[in-house]
Structure formats: structure tokens, C-alpha cells
Amino acid sequence: MHQLTAHARSFEDRCVERGEEFRRLGAGQSPQALFLTCSDSRVVPSLITGAAPGDLFELRTAGNIVPEYRPERPAGEAATIEYAVRVLGVEHIVVCGHSHCGAVGALVRGEDLTGVPAVRGWLESAAPALSGGAEAAGADGGTPELAAAVQRHALTQAERLRAHPCVAEGLAAGRLSLDVWFYEVHTGAVRRHRPETGRFEPL
């Protein structure tokens, strides 16, 4: 933590040469994309994309999960998506799953999550199709089996996004694009889902 604090302490001084850039940020934001990914500390959207401050509006959740849209039950995730699309006017949404995903791995392996009941409830209610799957039993984060599960999971989250009215309207009007990516933590490779082939292929 000392290293992080020291960096934050000196951040203002190191940004002097970028003063005009930061003054523009003070006037408002106009991000290019809503980037939805896992809370995993190894996944850094700005590092992966080269985004500068103001380029990405980020939504990060445990397991890269988009809860089902329920207007009768306000949720921070739905509010973030709606704000990005209707207020900020983002033109692109990226759902990015990743290798070595502990959340997806726990689900497909049927791990005991009784010690973390909030995590268990979140994962099981949001991703029931993965719970208790046998395909990745005993698999570690880098195996093809788990990669396939993470990729299917990311596609499921994209479909949930499509059910959000603001997203459905934007896609129908051609104002919004929606991509699904898969990031390999151990190699840095990024693949994008190609609907025409049904495969994740290099960008």
C-alpha cells in the first residue's frame, strides 16, 4: 500500500505537463465506450486498450456479471449502464471476460462457497447455467475448458445487456455497438467474438 500511496501523493506534480488535458476533464466527460469486465485486479482496461483518462466508462463486477434487468429492483449495475448510454452517449459497449477467472472457475467446478455467502448468492443467482458444471472439474484457470466456459459466460452477459431498454434501443437505432472480448491474463492476447463464425478470434 505504501507504493500506491506514494504514487498518489506525487500524482499532481507529475501531471503538470498534462495540465491542459486534465483541465478539459474538469469540464465534463465524453467516453468512447462502456467497458464491462471483472473486478479481478489482473484485468486493467486502460492497460489493455491504451485508453487515456476520459476514454472509458467502466463497470466492474465480481465474475463480470450483468444482473438481469428488473426495473422494479434498482441496481447499481443497471444505473451505470443506463447512465453511460442515455446520459453520456457512449457509442460502444465491450463485455470483456478473462482467463483464470476465479468466479467462473468456482461455478463450473462446483466449489464450496459457504464461507463467502454473499459471493455464493451473487454468482449462483446471476450465472446458474455454470453452477456445478463438470466440464472444468479440476481445471486450472488457463485450461481450454475453463476458457470456453468464460467465453460462453461473457456471451451470456452480453445477451443480458441486450435486454436493458437503453441498450436495445441504441442497438436497434444503430447508435450503439456491442462487442464481446476474451482477455488472456498470462499472455496479454485479446480475442473478439465474431458472430459470423461463432468463434473468438484475434482482434
Side-chain angles (χ1 to χ4, degrees), residues 22-97:
F22 281 87
R23 278 191 290 274
R24 287 197 303 270
L25 293 175
Q29 59 173 323
S30 182
Q32 299 179 40
L34 169 62
F35 198 96
L36 196 153
T37 192
C38 185
S39 302
D40 193 299
S41 62
R42 298 165 294 181
V43 181
V44 184
S46 60
L47 184 64
I48 296 168
T49 64
D55 286 344
L56 297 179
F57 198 71
E58 296 181 23
L59 174 57
R60 305 187 67 153
T61 66
N64 190 39
I65 287 168
V66 179
E68 292 181 353
Y69 181 73
R70 295 182 180 177
E72 76 283 359
R73 185 181 299 177
E77 296 82 13
T80 300
I81 294 162
E82 186 175 82
Y83 189 82
V85 175
R86 289 200 169 143
V87 178
L88 298 178
V90 299
E91 297 180 353
H92 311 282
I93 299 178
V94 176
V95 178
C96 184

Side-chain angles (χ1 to χ4, degrees), residues 145-165:
E145 293 85 356
L146 186 55
V150 170
Q151 290 168 1
R152 285 198 306 276
H153 176 66
L155 290 169
T156 297
Q157 306 319 303
E159 287 307 306
R160 287 185 172 179
L161 266 176
R162 293 177 186 276
H164 285 244

